[in-house]
Amino acid sequence: MKKQLLLILIAFAIFSNGCSRKKDKFINRAWHSVGTEYNILYNGYNALEKGRVALNQSYQDNYWEILPIERMQVEEEITLPGKSKNADFERAEEKAVKAIQKHSMNIQGKEHNPQMDEAYLLLGKARYFDQRFVPALEAFNYILFKYPVSDKINQAKIWREKANLRLENDQLALDNLKKLIRRADIEKQDLADATATLAQAYINLQALDSAAWQLEIASTETKNNDELGRYRFIQGQLYNALGHKDSANIAFDKVIDLNRKTPRVYMISAHIEKIKNFEVETGDKLAMLELLTELEENRENRPFLDRIFHQIGEFHRNDNSDSIAISYYNKSLRTTSRDKLLRARNYSTLGDMSFDNAKYRVAGAYYDSTLTNLKERSKPHRAIKRKRDNLADVIYYEDIAVRNDSILNLVAMSDEEKLRYFTAFTDELKVKVEEERKAAEEAEQRAKARQASTQGLTNNKAAMVSKRSGGGKGVGGPPSIVGGSDQNSFYFYNQTTISFGKNEFTQTWGQRQLTDNWRWSESGASMGATAIDAVIANASEDEMFDPEFYISQIPTKTSAIDSLNKDRNFAYYQLGLIYKDKFKELELAKDKLQKLLKNNPEDRLVLPSKYNLYKIYLELNLNDEAEIAKNDIIKNHPDSRYAAILLNPEVDLGEDENSPENIYERLYRDFQNQQYESVVTEADKYITLFDGEVIVPKFEFLKAVSKARLYGVESYKEALNFIALNYPNSEEGKKAENIVTNSLPLLSSTDFIDEEASKNFKVVYQFESDERNDIEVFKKELDAAVVNIKYFDLSTSVDRYNTSTSFVIVHGLRSIQGAQGFAEILNEPKEVEILRPSFAISSENYQIIQLHKNLEAYLKPE
């Protein structure tokens, strides 16, 4: 008993001495060193590694760009002091701080615990991965300052430069890493890490050739196969960016040779990059097709089929096999890909192919889908948005032309033809609906069978759990599973049957938009709807199969038919100009304008259509047709400006003083001279004269602004609404819609502001319509008087208020008192005497009276 007590006392004495951090003894150093390394730091590094693995798993590489050396997504949001983005990194930091606080043996300025450099290295890494780079930099710098002979000194230097790169100190990191690499005593893995980090610095500085060489060293020295695969792949990307395809393919081959030693994503990506480098004209297409087939059929490649299908589509597109390419782009889209940029590429490519084939409506739908997969305000988003906007007009007018043509074709049928047509249509519709009903029933039966199978497995599991727990309702789980209840029989409570049902739906119906009457759309919402489709969408089930119902929907009134003809013809005219001028599709333009002239168009469309056809014939080298069109214009429209141009080809249409462009410029000069009444009158005349031409919305907008100057914001709003509704696809129509939506609501208030708070004031002299001849003389006298006032920076102007009132304004006063006493200030020199009455007003209130024409409300006494 005495011996045991003695041993306890001795152990306690050793523990007491060993725990002291102020004694430089072997037992103290050993105690704190071992406790730091095998307890605190061990747990800290475990937490760090766990957090790092989670970070890598959540990170998604963008293989469309050169990959970063390190897999880490830097987030934009700023973390507050004391906060952490990741609990594992927070725990690692806590362990490092605990090791420093409880086991540091800093005696007389010297550290005697050899594990402290490791603790500070852990602290810096935890902060680095938690994206707190400045505190991380402090930890690494502390190692370099405090432990210059540490065996971790090279790692500390490398991690410091990693932090510098994250802080965009690229040149500083480059210089420091070069100094480190010159040392002869750097270990292989440290050299690999240093050269890889140096490669990232070169990539940041766009020195790609130097980066590729550093990655060659890093690939040779690294012991980590994951890193080796990534370094070699990035090296191949760099050579591709430099245009060295042969060197790139060698690097990609080295990645492929690693096979299962490195993550499979690098091997698949290397194959894809090599396929991109394949020359269709000179390469072995048969061998390439065999490789593509092998990649597609390999079961291990299923997670990467989205990219593989896309690249196969690219290969066939470059080989001019468009139909095969389209099928593979669609296959890529049907995979459950997380790569939004890949989906955008697929949609964009399909859109471009449709555009090249003049299928503009289809192209517009593909571009719409592209935009949903691109980041807003990014450069690719803006490029696709411009393409889509250019298609807006052609899609709009094509829809009108197709719809109205389909209706007018029905109008032209006899009663017997209409009945025969819709009888056949409804019979076909019945067959189609019956087929869809049977398909839906079969899908439902398969889903029920699957659900019953799943239910049986669930009941067996519940019975086993119930048996283990002694029967009854059971414990340890929800009643719907453990107690054997049938509460989980509802379809949407079971994730397995949900997934099965989704697959069945897709197999039966394909990809459908969430819209009303989704079953009747053969090709999705993007393809537009004919007149009959629109009728079906609003029909009851009985009406849907009744031919007489459809016949009753055909318009019979002359006014309605004339309106359809007019809109259809105008759509054809606009399409002809769009195809000719915007897309250079001369054959399409010719077809639309020729159809227009056969449809008995309005007189205003005949002459410009003939002239544009003449220009198209010339560009298509159809000289005989061009000569016929020219003679037709000269003979049947001799007094037109088009005939004058054809008779004198040296005269440019744009230089003709009677051209719409020159007339518009003249009216705009009148607007600048405040001749608003004449601008409104003249604009009305030319809007009628040039109806159907692209310049008409400009005249409408100029008229709207002129009316606003005369009648106020309500008149402006009315005119803008008219432009937005009648010219929705023109630049002026879109601008009008934007003003109505965003700007006018801010100008709706008629309340005057407190003028004591304003800093800009005006003095206003009012002239009625019978005094307009006196304005110029008065302004000259006022200018002469204003020049003598040296302590204000004053200026004058003439503004129209309405049709009967004009203002002469003095600008530049800084207080209401100064503005109200302006007449006295003006007459101080006594050289010029201005006796006309005036009123003072702040700039803000002046804007309100001009917008709302409420001068009387402002001048009315309180």
mmCIF file of all heavy atoms in Angstrom, residues 777-800:
data_model
loop_
_atom_site.group_PDB
_atom_site.id
_atom_site.type_symbol
_atom_site.label_atom_id
_atom_site.label_comp_id
_atom_site.label_asym_id
_atom_site.label_seq_id
_atom_site.Cartn_x
_atom_site.Cartn_y
_atom_site.Cartn_z
ATOM 1 N N VAL A 777 -36.851 90.898 -78.116
ATOM 2 C CA VAL A 777 -36.365 92.203 -77.657
ATOM 3 C C VAL A 777 -36.137 92.184 -76.141
ATOM 4 O O VAL A 777 -35.115 92.662 -75.638
ATOM 5 C CB VAL A 777 -37.375 93.310 -78.041
ATOM 6 C CG1 VAL A 777 -36.937 94.663 -77.472
ATOM 7 C CG2 VAL A 777 -37.514 93.389 -79.560
ATOM 8 N N PHE A 778 -37.112 91.616 -75.419
ATOM 9 C CA PHE A 778 -36.989 91.577 -73.951
ATOM 10 C C PHE A 778 -35.778 90.743 -73.518
ATOM 11 O O PHE A 778 -35.045 91.112 -72.608
ATOM 12 C CB PHE A 778 -38.270 90.992 -73.351
ATOM 13 C CG PHE A 778 -38.213 90.841 -71.856
ATOM 14 C CD1 PHE A 778 -38.415 91.924 -71.010
ATOM 15 C CD2 PHE A 778 -37.924 89.615 -71.282
ATOM 16 C CE1 PHE A 778 -38.349 91.780 -69.635
ATOM 17 C CE2 PHE A 778 -37.865 89.457 -69.913
ATOM 18 C CZ PHE A 778 -38.079 90.544 -69.081
ATOM 19 N N LYS A 779 -35.545 89.632 -74.188
ATOM 20 C CA LYS A 779 -34.419 88.771 -73.807
ATOM 21 C C LYS A 779 -33.094 89.502 -74.015
ATOM 22 O O LYS A 779 -32.161 89.361 -73.212
ATOM 23 C CB LYS A 779 -34.447 87.476 -74.603
ATOM 24 C CG LYS A 779 -33.391 86.456 -74.159
ATOM 25 C CD LYS A 779 -33.545 85.143 -74.870
ATOM 26 C CE LYS A 779 -32.492 84.134 -74.399
ATOM 27 N NZ LYS A 779 -31.122 84.555 -74.701
ATOM 28 N N LYS A 780 -32.990 90.304 -75.092
ATOM 29 C CA LYS A 780 -31.747 91.051 -75.320
ATOM 30 C C LYS A 780 -31.518 92.057 -74.191
ATOM 31 O O LYS A 780 -30.398 92.226 -73.692
ATOM 32 C CB LYS A 780 -31.804 91.770 -76.666
ATOM 33 C CG LYS A 780 -31.653 90.831 -77.864
ATOM 34 C CD LYS A 780 -31.684 91.608 -79.182
ATOM 35 C CE LYS A 780 -31.535 90.645 -80.354
ATOM 36 N NZ LYS A 780 -31.601 91.368 -81.658
ATOM 37 N N GLU A 781 -32.598 92.750 -73.766
ATOM 38 C CA GLU A 781 -32.471 93.712 -72.664
ATOM 39 C C GLU A 781 -32.085 92.992 -71.363
ATOM 40 O O GLU A 781 -31.242 93.459 -70.592
ATOM 41 C CB GLU A 781 -33.784 94.469 -72.471
ATOM 42 C CG GLU A 781 -34.153 95.387 -73.636
ATOM 43 C CD GLU A 781 -35.503 96.053 -73.425
ATOM 44 O OE1 GLU A 781 -36.189 95.697 -72.436
ATOM 45 O OE2 GLU A 781 -35.881 96.907 -74.255
ATOM 46 N N LEU A 782 -32.698 91.832 -71.155
ATOM 47 C CA LEU A 782 -32.416 91.063 -69.941
ATOM 48 C C LEU A 782 -30.969 90.569 -69.932
ATOM 49 O O LEU A 782 -30.282 90.629 -68.904
ATOM 50 C CB LEU A 782 -33.385 89.873 -69.850
ATOM 51 C CG LEU A 782 -33.362 89.062 -68.555
ATOM 52 C CD1 LEU A 782 -33.722 89.933 -67.356
ATOM 53 C CD2 LEU A 782 -34.327 87.883 -68.652
ATOM 54 N N ASP A 783 -30.479 90.099 -71.079
ATOM 55 C CA ASP A 783 -29.088 89.651 -71.167
ATOM 56 C C ASP A 783 -28.123 90.784 -70.851
ATOM 57 O O ASP A 783 -27.108 90.585 -70.156
ATOM 58 C CB ASP A 783 -28.795 89.109 -72.573
ATOM 59 C CG ASP A 783 -29.456 87.765 -72.824
ATOM 60 O OD1 ASP A 783 -29.798 87.085 -71.838
ATOM 61 O OD2 ASP A 783 -29.643 87.394 -73.998
ATOM 62 N N ALA A 784 -28.446 91.988 -71.352
ATOM 63 C CA ALA A 784 -27.572 93.139 -71.090
ATOM 64 C C ALA A 784 -27.556 93.476 -69.604
ATOM 65 O O ALA A 784 -26.514 93.848 -69.043
ATOM 66 C CB ALA A 784 -28.041 94.339 -71.909
ATOM 67 N N ALA A 785 -28.705 93.337 -68.951
ATOM 68 C CA ALA A 785 -28.763 93.640 -67.520
ATOM 69 C C ALA A 785 -28.069 92.575 -66.684
ATOM 70 O O ALA A 785 -27.388 92.875 -65.700
ATOM 71 C CB ALA A 785 -30.224 93.777 -67.091
ATOM 72 N N VAL A 786 -28.217 91.318 -67.071
ATOM 73 C CA VAL A 786 -27.628 90.204 -66.315
ATOM 74 C C VAL A 786 -26.107 90.265 -66.342
ATOM 75 O O VAL A 786 -25.430 89.911 -65.370
ATOM 76 C CB VAL A 786 -28.143 88.862 -66.881
ATOM 77 C CG1 VAL A 786 -27.283 87.700 -66.422
ATOM 78 C CG2 VAL A 786 -29.592 88.636 -66.463
ATOM 79 N N VAL A 787 -25.532 90.740 -67.453
ATOM 80 C CA VAL A 787 -24.071 90.819 -67.579
ATOM 81 C C VAL A 787 -23.468 91.688 -66.481
ATOM 82 O O VAL A 787 -22.355 91.442 -65.995
ATOM 83 C CB VAL A 787 -23.692 91.369 -68.974
ATOM 84 C CG1 VAL A 787 -22.209 91.713 -69.043
ATOM 85 C CG2 VAL A 787 -24.031 90.350 -70.038
ATOM 86 N N ASN A 788 -24.196 92.711 -66.030
ATOM 87 C CA ASN A 788 -23.665 93.643 -65.026
ATOM 88 C C ASN A 788 -23.650 93.071 -63.612
ATOM 89 O O ASN A 788 -23.070 93.678 -62.713
ATOM 90 C CB ASN A 788 -24.493 94.938 -65.027
ATOM 91 C CG ASN A 788 -24.359 95.679 -66.352
ATOM 92 O OD1 ASN A 788 -23.283 95.708 -66.934
ATOM 93 N ND2 ASN A 788 -25.461 96.262 -66.829
ATOM 94 N N ILE A 789 -24.318 91.923 -63.404
ATOM 95 C CA ILE A 789 -24.355 91.323 -62.060
ATOM 96 C C ILE A 789 -23.169 90.371 -61.960
ATOM 97 O O ILE A 789 -23.197 89.249 -62.460
ATOM 98 C CB ILE A 789 -25.689 90.597 -61.814
ATOM 99 C CG1 ILE A 789 -26.844 91.582 -61.980
ATOM 100 C CG2 ILE A 789 -25.714 89.953 -60.442
ATOM 101 C CD1 ILE A 789 -28.206 90.949 -61.861
ATOM 102 N N LYS A 790 -22.100 90.815 -61.287
ATOM 103 C CA LYS A 790 -20.832 90.089 -61.274
ATOM 104 C C LYS A 790 -20.800 88.964 -60.242
ATOM 105 O O LYS A 790 -20.040 88.018 -60.380
ATOM 106 C CB LYS A 790 -19.678 91.055 -60.983
ATOM 107 C CG LYS A 790 -19.618 92.237 -61.925
ATOM 108 C CD LYS A 790 -19.332 91.802 -63.347
ATOM 109 C CE LYS A 790 -19.184 92.988 -64.292
ATOM 110 N NZ LYS A 790 -19.054 92.574 -65.703
ATOM 111 N N TYR A 791 -21.595 89.048 -59.180
ATOM 112 C CA TYR A 791 -21.462 88.098 -58.082
ATOM 113 C C TYR A 791 -22.395 86.904 -58.231
ATOM 114 O O TYR A 791 -22.548 86.109 -57.321
ATOM 115 C CB TYR A 791 -21.714 88.786 -56.730
ATOM 116 C CG TYR A 791 -22.892 89.732 -56.710
ATOM 117 C CD1 TYR A 791 -24.170 89.259 -56.428
ATOM 118 C CD2 TYR A 791 -22.727 91.082 -56.988
ATOM 119 C CE1 TYR A 791 -25.252 90.112 -56.418
ATOM 120 C CE2 TYR A 791 -23.809 91.945 -56.975
ATOM 121 C CZ TYR A 791 -25.073 91.459 -56.689
ATOM 122 O OH TYR A 791 -26.144 92.306 -56.683
ATOM 123 N N PHE A 792 -23.076 86.763 -59.393
ATOM 124 C CA PHE A 792 -23.849 85.556 -59.708
ATOM 125 C C PHE A 792 -23.458 85.056 -61.099
ATOM 126 O O PHE A 792 -23.145 85.864 -61.982
ATOM 127 C CB PHE A 792 -25.357 85.844 -59.711
ATOM 128 C CG PHE A 792 -25.972 85.971 -58.345
ATOM 129 C CD1 PHE A 792 -26.520 87.169 -57.920
ATOM 130 C CD2 PHE A 792 -26.000 84.880 -57.487
ATOM 131 C CE1 PHE A 792 -27.085 87.275 -56.664
ATOM 132 C CE2 PHE A 792 -26.571 84.992 -56.231
ATOM 133 C CZ PHE A 792 -27.111 86.195 -55.815
ATOM 134 N N ASP A 793 -23.484 83.753 -61.273
ATOM 135 C CA ASP A 793 -23.237 83.156 -62.589
ATOM 136 C C ASP A 793 -24.597 82.893 -63.229
ATOM 137 O O ASP A 793 -25.143 81.794 -63.163
ATOM 138 C CB ASP A 793 -22.440 81.861 -62.437
ATOM 139 C CG ASP A 793 -22.079 81.265 -63.802
ATOM 140 O OD1 ASP A 793 -22.183 82.002 -64.805
ATOM 141 O OD2 ASP A 793 -21.720 80.076 -63.843
ATOM 142 N N LEU A 794 -25.152 83.938 -63.874
ATOM 143 C CA LEU A 794 -26.517 83.884 -64.379
ATOM 144 C C LEU A 794 -26.538 83.622 -65.880
ATOM 145 O O LEU A 794 -25.617 83.973 -66.602
ATOM 146 C CB LEU A 794 -27.241 85.201 -64.072
ATOM 147 C CG LEU A 794 -27.313 85.605 -62.588
ATOM 148 C CD1 LEU A 794 -28.020 86.941 -62.449
ATOM 149 C CD2 LEU A 794 -28.029 84.544 -61.771
ATOM 150 N N SER A 795 -27.639 83.013 -66.321
ATOM 151 C CA SER A 795 -27.864 82.794 -67.749
ATOM 152 C C SER A 795 -29.359 82.896 -68.011
ATOM 153 O O SER A 795 -30.176 82.845 -67.081
ATOM 154 C CB SER A 795 -27.336 81.426 -68.186
ATOM 155 O OG SER A 795 -28.008 80.403 -67.482
ATOM 156 N N THR A 796 -29.725 83.033 -69.289
ATOM 157 C CA THR A 796 -31.145 83.173 -69.646
ATOM 158 C C THR A 796 -31.511 82.188 -70.743
ATOM 159 O O THR A 796 -30.657 81.679 -71.461
ATOM 160 C CB THR A 796 -31.450 84.605 -70.138
ATOM 161 O OG1 THR A 796 -30.732 84.849 -71.348
ATOM 162 C CG2 THR A 796 -31.055 85.636 -69.086
ATOM 163 N N SER A 797 -32.813 81.925 -70.848
ATOM 164 C CA SER A 797 -33.307 81.050 -71.911
ATOM 165 C C SER A 797 -34.777 81.346 -72.133
ATOM 166 O O SER A 797 -35.427 82.019 -71.319
ATOM 167 C CB SER A 797 -33.117 79.580 -71.534
ATOM 168 O OG SER A 797 -33.964 79.240 -70.460
ATOM 169 N N VAL A 798 -35.297 80.812 -73.249
ATOM 170 C CA VAL A 798 -36.721 80.916 -73.562
ATOM 171 C C VAL A 798 -37.297 79.509 -73.581
ATOM 172 O O VAL A 798 -36.774 78.623 -74.252
ATOM 173 C CB VAL A 798 -36.944 81.606 -74.920
ATOM 174 C CG1 VAL A 798 -38.426 81.643 -75.251
ATOM 175 C CG2 VAL A 798 -36.345 83.007 -74.920
ATOM 176 N N ASP A 799 -38.384 79.275 -72.807
ATOM 177 C CA ASP A 799 -39.033 77.970 -72.745
ATOM 178 C C ASP A 799 -40.504 78.122 -73.109
ATOM 179 O O ASP A 799 -41.153 79.091 -72.726
ATOM 180 C CB ASP A 799 -38.954 77.375 -71.329
ATOM 181 C CG ASP A 799 -37.556 76.916 -70.987
ATOM 182 O OD1 ASP A 799 -36.684 76.979 -71.868
ATOM 183 O OD2 ASP A 799 -37.324 76.516 -69.834
ATOM 184 N N ARG A 800 -41.031 77.108 -73.835
ATOM 185 C CA ARG A 800 -42.467 77.066 -74.088
ATOM 186 C C ARG A 800 -43.151 76.424 -72.886
ATOM 187 O O ARG A 800 -42.682 75.415 -72.352
ATOM 188 C CB ARG A 800 -42.755 76.245 -75.338
ATOM 189 C CG ARG A 800 -42.340 76.915 -76.625
ATOM 190 C CD ARG A 800 -43.212 78.119 -76.974
ATOM 191 N NE ARG A 800 -44.603 77.767 -77.106
ATOM 192 C CZ ARG A 800 -45.143 77.282 -78.214
ATOM 193 N NH1 ARG A 800 -44.386 77.098 -79.287
ATOM 194 N NH2 ARG A 800 -46.420 77.001 -78.269
#
